[in-house]
Amino acid sequence: MRKYPLATVVLMFLILSVPALARDEWSARRAEMVRTQILSRGVSDDSVLRAMGAVPRHLFVPPRYVEEAYADHPLPIGFGQTISQPYIVAFMTELIKPERRQKVLEIGTGSGYQAAILAEIVRHVFTVEIIPELGEAARRRLGELNYKNVTVRIADGYHGWPEEAPFDAIIVTAASDHIPPPLIKQLKDGGRMVIPVGNPFLTQYLVLVEKNRGKVTTREVLPVRFVPLTRGK
Amino acid sequence: MINVGTYIALGAVSGTTIAFQIVLIQIFSFTQWYHFAFMVISTALLGGGVAGIILTLGRMWFLKRFELIYFPSIALAGLSMLGSVYLSQLECFRFDSFLLFTNVGELLKLPLNYLIFLTPFFFSSLAVGLFISVKHGEIGRVYFWSLSGAALGALTGWALLWYLSPEATLTVLAGLNLIAVVIAGGIRTWFLGRVAVAAGLVGLFLASVYPPPTVLSEYKDLRRILNLPHTRWKDSLCSPYGRIDIVESPLVRYAPAISLAFEGQPPTPPLVFMNGDLVGPLFTLDSINQVAILNYTLGALPWAIETRKEVLILSAGSGERAAYALYRGAEKVTAVESNPLLANLIRQNLAVKVLSMEPRSYLEVEHQNYDLISFPTLGNFGGNGGINAIKESYIYTVEGIRAAWGRLSGKGLLMILTWEDYPLRYSLRVAATIKEALEREIKERLLDHISVVRGLNQMAFLVKKTPFSAEEKERIVNFCKELGFSILPCFPGEAKGYLFKISPARDSRPYPHQFIKLSSLSAIEQRYGWTRVPYFEVGYVLIWLTLLEIIVLSSLLIFLPLKLKRSLMPGPDKMPVFLYFSGIGMGYMCVEIAFIEKYVLLFGSVPSSFMVVVSLMLFFSALGSWAVSSVTPERNKLLILVGIISLGIFILGFTLTSVLLKSAGNTLLISVLLALLTIGPVSFFMGMPFPLGIKILGQVGEEVIPWAWGVNGFFSVVGACLATVLAVEVGFVLLMIFASLCYSKTVLLITRL
């Protein structure tokens, strides 16, 4: 070492700079994802764009899919579940009009990615996962990433989270053939809920539920897949 | 030495090979999806062609070692049937067909699976091809044993699956091959053979104790439910019709597309799965009140208009629509379900009349009228990637809707529900089908007879025999107001230049689940991206991929020996040989596939139609082959034969559908007799061209026989795939004409052989 001080310094520099370089590479991919997949398709909420640019999606996908983490499609995470396409995550988040003061309920934690995005924006995220293995892994992952404003519960999401209700917004990330009545009850007046319906690899047909003065209305958000599919415009 | 035992072994290996295909379809249909089974098995069947090519390349070497190759090949065919399933389920080889288009790793496992499953077909074909090469002078007799063994194998496979699981059936098939080798005396003079057979028997014993595990795809409905905590398996039943599972989960609620007006707790009835795909909930007379939840769905609409006394449920599935009709006070409920296991389930649990037959056939032969005819819900929640794309249905055709219309009472209603897909396809096709089916009957008054109501993510089409009265319209409006549904102000129709095919399905092309237009593929790709296109209709895309893949592989393998060993095949001009044997291989399979599809009308379901058609065709072809065993092939005789076959196929193409529709609903014996009368004669003659062709080759150049056998094998596989594609694209009649032309073209070649 004494013999080659310069070489040692260079080597140490290289070793130490690898994580930083890798970080930069992931940041660059994220920025590219936000620019080409999300911003270009019309998602314009600043807080959503910032969150999508900040959360390291590659840490939420299984190791075999890391290289595809920022690609424009959903990825399998095991147990027949998927981490949604980045655009869908951004679009659903924008739909609930997230704000700093809000308390949000998420049904279907999955990898925890959607919860992390929400946690970047809102005050607190309560997220429920029914498959214990997925719930535990998401809880650990979110803890390691220091998301202190996310609480994960392993339970049947159909009943929501009555102890913490009402919620300013609810995001359901697991497809359902109907809107669970308990979730409608737990939605605050003036709140918004969004539910995807459909094939995880193809069409996610979003339904937006709004509650105003006790009256519940639903709107099918049709262009969810049309917009991404005319990307580049 | 070749004796009767050798012929028995030939029949055994032919039989177990076809039974193996039936078992593989069962295993793949459960663990993956049936179209994937089609893809893997079709490609693996190329093993037969590969055997023909290897025999061609090393003909003399193989002929000198007949016993040394023939008997071990039969034993290895059996053992590799079992071994291939074990291997395919190992972590390193097992893959998920749902991820095929999104994951390169899964894609790489596909050729490995082809190789694994190619092995048993290779060994069985090596044995049969070698026998044909040795005994080409007695080809009629050889082919008779092979085909009749195959016919018996189809029946045996079918029978075994009633009593054994598919995994256990594999052990029996492997055992049958070993027994056949022992009976034939294949190990008498061969010490190593005895050791191998003894080792094989030990292996079979172990396999019966530890059968190959079968792992469900993560994306199958059953697997998803089983992933949930507190899920309990209630019952499971294997049969040739597939595997039924009944599962209970307190976490899976039954509330399909329910109105927001519902505020209670949805029920959690047991769920019925067929081959791992959800069929529906199971209600019994004791739990029938749970079905009241459907009061909050579009399913309640017919009762909101008026009471329904006589109700017909088509494709009743697990019986929830029948249960709801009973709950709503219907006096007489008739449920028609083509799957006998599901029909039995309904019979055991509900007090309704249950008929196990193809619903369309029932509409044709039954003359009773109904107040409500309920069609099965189209599309499935979540889409499932178009797994039903190439599944035929004769009730959602123009003729099917017309037949149902004819069975309505004066105030009767047809009720069709569709899940809303995106982009819209099912509802648009249903609208187009209703319009075309009924425009003759109700002409410009169409809208007076039809009401289209949209729920949360479903659409209901109500078609009434007489025009809706003002009072009835008012009741529909009130129903919608109460539940937050909406009435469509106009009848849905096709926009010009729509990317998907939404024109009505017809009896000649009964594929109501197939929407992709080949001409729109690039536009669909531009809009959705290549990785997503397959998920619109996985079944359809895989069939095309399989066809292309098989054509490429077959072409390479057929022309390889011509390039490599031109000197070893000095015989006749190869082109006529190629065209002759490819034509009869392809023609035979096109007829077989067309028959399987059509005889569903008579036998109710694809598995039973497959069993009857395949075994009858093989048996009669075996007789045809036997009949020409002592015939000298002469030009005029061959011309007459080909003429009879082409004409027979041609006539059946135009008449079979109507004959079968008019003959449905008879006893099984009469149905089988009818099949025998329609399938038998043409199959008898179709069994003749192959042995006659081999006889000619025996006279002009026997070196080419294994190659001709390989070409026939390859084109049988190509024919099966092509027939499926043609059935979807051009329909049954044109498919039969194509098959007829395949045979006709051999006329041009007979003189040149």
Side-chain angles (χ1 to χ4, degrees):
Chain A
M1 252 180 143
R2 280 180 196 166
K3 211 172 171 182
Y4 304 105
L6 185 61
T8 309
V9 169
V10 170
L11 189 65
M12 293 296 284
F13 173 78
L14 284 173
I15 291 169
L16 291 171
S17 62
V18 165
L21 288 171
R23 247 195 328 271
D24 280 355
E25 194 209 318
W26 290 122
S27 302
R29 288 201 199 183
R30 254 193 320 275
E32 176 76 359
M33 171 190 83
V34 171
R35 194 174 58 79
T36 59
Q37 299 174 34
I38 299 169
L39 197 58
S40 65
R41 290 172 181 158
V43 173
S44 57
D45 187 306
D46 281 343
S47 62
V48 175
L49 295 174
R50 263 200 307 275
M52 293 299 292
V55 177
R57 183 173 160 97
H58 59 282
L59 299 180
F60 288 83
V61 301
R64 62 196 287 213
Y65 295 114
V66 163
E67 279 307 311
E68 292 175 67
Y70 296 97
D72 191 17
H73 54 75
L75 290 168
I77 56 168
F79 299 92
Q81 307 299 315
T82 55
I83 176 171
S84 296
Q85 176 194 17
Y87 169 73
I88 297 291
V89 175
F91 187 74
M92 286 175 75
T93 312
E94 189 179 57
L95 269 181
I96 60 163
K97 297 187 177 168
E99 288 174 25
R100 190 80 243 164
R101 58 177 177 80
Q102 285 180 340
K103 183 164 70 167
V104 176
L105 172 66
E106 185 202 17
I107 304 297
T109 315
S111 68
Y113 181 65
Q114 174 74 71
I117 296 289
L118 288 167
E120 292 278 339
I121 309 169
V122 304
R123 178 164 55 88
H124 203 97
V125 181
F126 294 88
T127 178
V128 186
E129 173 56 54
I130 198 163
I131 298 171
E133 291 87 342
L134 287 178
E136 290 295 351
R139 182 183 281 154
R140 201 171 46 247
R141 196 175 290 130
L142 290 163
E144 282 165 8
L145 292 170
N146 215 17
Y147 283 107
K148 293 198 169 79
N149 58 341
V150 180
T151 313
V152 181
R153 173 187 268 187
I154 294 165
D156 178 8
Y158 192 86
H159 302 292
W161 200 314
E163 306 90 308
E164 294 295 338
F167 296 95
D168 297 291
I170 300 176
I171 282 190
V172 183
T173 56
S176 173
D177 65 358
H178 67 283
I179 300 170
L183 298 186
I184 295 174
K185 271 186 200 150
Q186 289 172 31
L187 190 62
K188 198 180 264 183
D189 202 54
R192 308 179 118 217
M193 167 158 65
V194 60
I195 297 189
V197 172
N199 184 328
F201 285 87
L202 186 65
T203 308
Q204 291 180 325
Y205 199 171
L206 293 183
V207 177
L208 178 67
V209 182
E210 289 174 287
K211 198 173 184 181
N212 283 309
R213 291 177 197 148
K215 192 182 172 200
V216 178
T217 55
T218 64
R219 184 156 57 92
E220 282 157 353
V221 190
L222 285 173
V224 70
R225 191 52 78 170
F226 263 128
V227 180
L229 302 169
T230 50
R231 60 179 171 274
K233 287 187 183 175
Chain B
M1 199 186 93
I2 292 174
N3 54 24
V4 178
T6 323
Y7 280 95
I8 292 174
L10 175 73
V13 74
S14 303
T16 52
T17 304
I18 205 145
F20 177 57
Q21 290 174 48
I22 295 173
V23 173
L24 266 192
I25 290 172
Q26 294 276 329
I27 291 176
F28 281 132
S29 299
F30 178 64
T31 59
Q32 305 278 319
W33 284 275
Y34 78 98
H35 51 70
F36 174 72
F38 184 85
M39 186 180 192
V40 172
I41 295 169
S42 300
T43 314
L45 277 170
L46 291 179
V50 175
I53 299 315
I54 287 183
L55 279 172
T56 309
L57 295 175
R59 187 171 158 271
M60 289 316 290
W61 191 88
F62 281 104
L63 289 181
K64 281 177 194 162
R65 293 166 182 80
F66 174 75
E67 284 201 20
L68 202 63
I69 305 292
Y70 180 70
F71 292 112
S73 292
I74 294 174
L76 283 171
L79 293 173
S80 58
M81 286 173 192
L82 195 56
S84 59
V85 176
Y86 269 109
L87 267 180
S88 72
Q89 295 299 310
L90 292 178
E91 183 65 35
C92 52
F93 297 124
R94 192 176 69 234
F95 80 115
D96 200 314
S97 57
F98 208 69
L99 300 178
L100 206 57
F101 302 98
T102 57
N103 187 333
V104 179
E106 299 296 315
L107 197 63
L108 290 176
K109 286 181 186 174
L110 190 62
L112 290 175
N113 274 262
Y114 286 160
L115 273 179
I116 289 171
F117 288 105
L118 191 135
T119 316
F121 295 109
F122 168 76
F123 281 119
S124 60
S125 300
L126 189 66
V128 179
L130 184 58
F131 203 146
I132 287 176
S133 297
V134 170
K135 298 291 280 182
H136 61 80
E138 292 177 34
I139 183 66
R141 194 173 166 212
V142 173
Y143 211 47
F144 168 80
W145 276 92
S146 177
L147 291 183
S148 52
L152 198 62
L155 291 172
T156 309
W158 172 269
L160 285 173
L161 285 167
W162 275 113
Y163 302 101
L164 299 173
S165 69
E167 297 84 352
T169 308
L170 284 175
T171 314
V172 175
L173 297 181
L176 283 173
N177 274 17
L178 282 185
I179 291 167
V181 169
V182 174
I183 289 175
I187 57 168
R188 244 191 337 237
T189 55
W190 186 39
F191 174 71
L192 270 179
R194 282 181 222 170
V195 175
V197 168
L201 289 173
V202 173
L204 290 186
F205 173 74
L206 289 174
S208 62
V209 181
Y210 306 104
T214 41
V215 184
L216 268 173
S217 159
E218 274 183 23
Y219 300 93
K220 294 286 275 197
D221 297 332
L222 178 60
R223 175 79 182 271
R224 287 182 192 221
I225 304 282
L226 291 175
N227 278 337
L228 299 176
H230 315 302
T231 301
R232 199 167 63 87
W233 224 312
K234 223 180 148 195
D235 205 359
S236 188
L237 177 67
C238 287
S239 80
Y241 293 97
R243 174 174 159 165
I244 281 196
D245 289 280
I246 301 174
V247 170
E248 273 183 327
S249 171
L251 303 175
V252 183
R253 286 133 188 120
Y254 176 64
I258 201 164
S259 155
L260 293 175
F262 178 78
E263 291 185 339
Q265 269 287 341
T268 55
L271 301 167
V272 181
F273 296 83
M274 170 57 76
N275 286 331
D277 297 320
L278 181 63
V279 178
L282 184 64
F283 293 105
T284 62
L285 286 176
D286 295 333
S287 66
I288 205 158
N289 285 338
Q290 290 186 349
V291 86
I293 185 131
L294 292 181
N295 287 341
Y296 291 86
T297 68
L298 285 172
L301 189 49
W303 278 274
I305 302 167
E306 198 172 341
T307 316
R308 309 276 152 193
K309 284 182 185 165
E310 306 247 341
V311 178
L312 173 64
I313 311 287
L314 298 175
S315 294
S318 60
E320 87 260 39
R321 283 173 295 136
Y324 187 62
L326 280 181
Y327 172 80
R328 292 301 298 249
E331 286 171 8
K332 189 178 169 193
V333 180
T334 306
V336 185
E337 171 53 52
S338 60
N339 186 309
L341 301 180
L342 291 174
N344 210 24
L345 210 57
I346 303 170
R347 210 172 277 131
Q348 286 166 0
N349 290 293
L350 297 169
V352 298
K353 181 182 171 190
V354 184
L355 290 144
S356 174
M357 65 188 292
E358 160 62 31
R360 171 64 189 288
S361 305
Y362 179 79
L363 289 173
E364 295 291 336
V365 296
E366 177 61 44
H367 298 296
Q368 195 187 332
N369 287 338
Y370 295 91
D371 300 330
L372 173 66
I373 298 180
S374 165
F375 281 66
T377 307
L378 268 175
N380 45 4
F381 171 74
N384 243 345
I387 58 165
N388 289 325
I390 53 163
K391 194 174 171 186
E392 67 284 314
S393 164
Y394 289 94
I395 50 173
Y396 279 113
T397 59
V398 169
E399 297 87 343
I401 298 279
R402 229 174 252 157
W405 172 265
R407 298 274 72 80
L408 286 178
S409 64
K411 59 173 185 177
L413 271 180
L414 301 182
M415 165 77 160
I416 300 175
L417 273 179
T418 64
W419 281 102
E420 268 188 28
D421 44 3
Y422 182 76
L424 278 184
R425 283 158 287 162
Y426 275 111
S427 43
L428 293 178
R429 175 166 282 163
V430 166
T433 312
I434 292 173
K435 198 172 170 188
E436 189 166 333
L438 303 181
E439 65 186 356
R440 218 173 37 195
E441 275 83 359
I442 45 185
K443 287 179 188 161
E444 71 282 357
R445 293 175 292 111
L446 196 70
L447 283 176
D448 294 341
H449 290 259
I450 296 175
S451 184
V452 187
V453 177
R454 195 157 174 242
L456 190 66
N457 43 6
Q458 278 188 342
M459 209 179 272
F461 290 83
L462 285 185
V463 186
K464 192 161 175 279
K465 188 85 174 187
T466 51
F468 282 105
S469 66
E471 195 184 339
E472 285 169 337
K473 283 181 182 168
E474 183 67 26
R475 284 180 197 146
I476 296 175
V477 170
N478 289 340
F479 174 84
C480 290
K481 263 188 197 162
E482 216 171 281
L483 298 183
F485 298 155
S486 53
I487 300 170
L488 249 62
C490 59
F491 198 63
E494 181 177 3
K496 209 175 176 186
Y498 201 58
L499 285 183
F500 295 91
K501 188 167 39 183
I502 51 163
S503 53
R506 297 182 163 280
D507 277 359
S508 57
R509 284 162 72 185
Y511 302 101
H513 310 283
Q514 199 277 311
F515 299 96
I516 284 188
K517 277 196 257 189
L518 288 179
S519 57
S520 303
L521 259 185
S522 73
I524 295 173
E525 185 275 325
Q526 272 178 4
R527 187 168 284 184
Y528 301 95
W530 271 124
T531 53
R532 291 189 193 116
V533 171
Y535 292 100
F536 278 112
E537 280 168 27
V538 168
Y540 183 67
V541 171
L542 282 186
I543 288 293
W544 270 104
L545 284 181
T546 310
L547 177 64
L548 295 175
E549 178 185 85
I550 285 172
I551 288 175
V552 171
L553 287 174
S554 300
S555 308
L556 282 174
L557 289 166
I558 286 170
F559 294 107
L560 189 73
L562 293 182
K563 280 273 170 217
L564 290 179
K565 295 262 179 170
R566 197 175 285 271
S567 59
L568 280 181
M569 290 203 299
D573 183 8
K574 305 300 172 300
M575 191 45 81
V577 178
F578 170 77
L579 291 174
Y580 182 87
F581 285 93
S582 63
I584 59 175
M586 191 134 76
Y588 195 95
M589 289 313 291
C590 285
V591 173
E592 188 173 295
I593 296 289
F595 277 174
I596 291 171
E597 190 200 276
K598 279 297 149 186
Y599 279 85
V600 166
L601 290 168
L602 204 58
F603 296 103
S605 66
V606 172
S608 41
S609 169
F610 177 89
M611 191 273 292
V612 175
V613 167
V614 170
S615 46
L616 279 178
M617 276 189 79
L618 288 170
F619 180 67
F620 277 92
S621 297
L623 290 180
S625 179
W626 182 271
V628 293
S629 52
S630 54
V631 171
T632 318
E634 287 167 16
R635 186 170 169 252
N636 285 347
K637 283 181 192 165
L638 279 167
L639 284 174
I640 293 169
L641 171 65
V642 168
I644 292 172
I645 295 171
S646 303
L647 189 67
I649 297 171
F650 192 79
I651 292 170
L652 283 172
F654 283 97
T655 54
L656 195 60
T657 307
S658 57
V659 169
L660 295 179
L661 278 172
K662 281 175 189 143
S663 319
N666 284 306
T667 60
L668 182 65
L669 185 68
I670 292 176
S671 297
V672 171
L673 276 175
L674 181 76
L676 199 139
L677 286 172
T678 44
I679 294 173
V682 75
S683 305
F684 177 78
F685 291 110
M686 282 162 67
M688 295 178 180
F690 181 83
L692 289 174
I694 294 287
K695 274 190 179 187
I696 296 175
L697 290 185
Q699 292 163 4
V700 296
E702 63 181 76
E703 307 83 6
V704 190
I705 289 176
W707 187 74
W709 155 253
V711 168
N712 187 260
F714 281 128
F715 274 84
S716 299
V717 185
V718 172
C721 278
L722 186 65
T724 311
V725 167
L726 287 177
V728 174
E729 291 298 330
V730 298
F732 171 75
V733 176
L734 287 177
L735 170 61
M736 290 293 271
I737 290 174
F738 175 76
S740 173
L741 289 174
C742 282
Y743 276 97
S744 300
K745 80 167 191 191
T746 59
V747 172
L748 304 171
L749 307 161
I750 285 165
T751 48
R752 294 172 57 196
L753 272 176

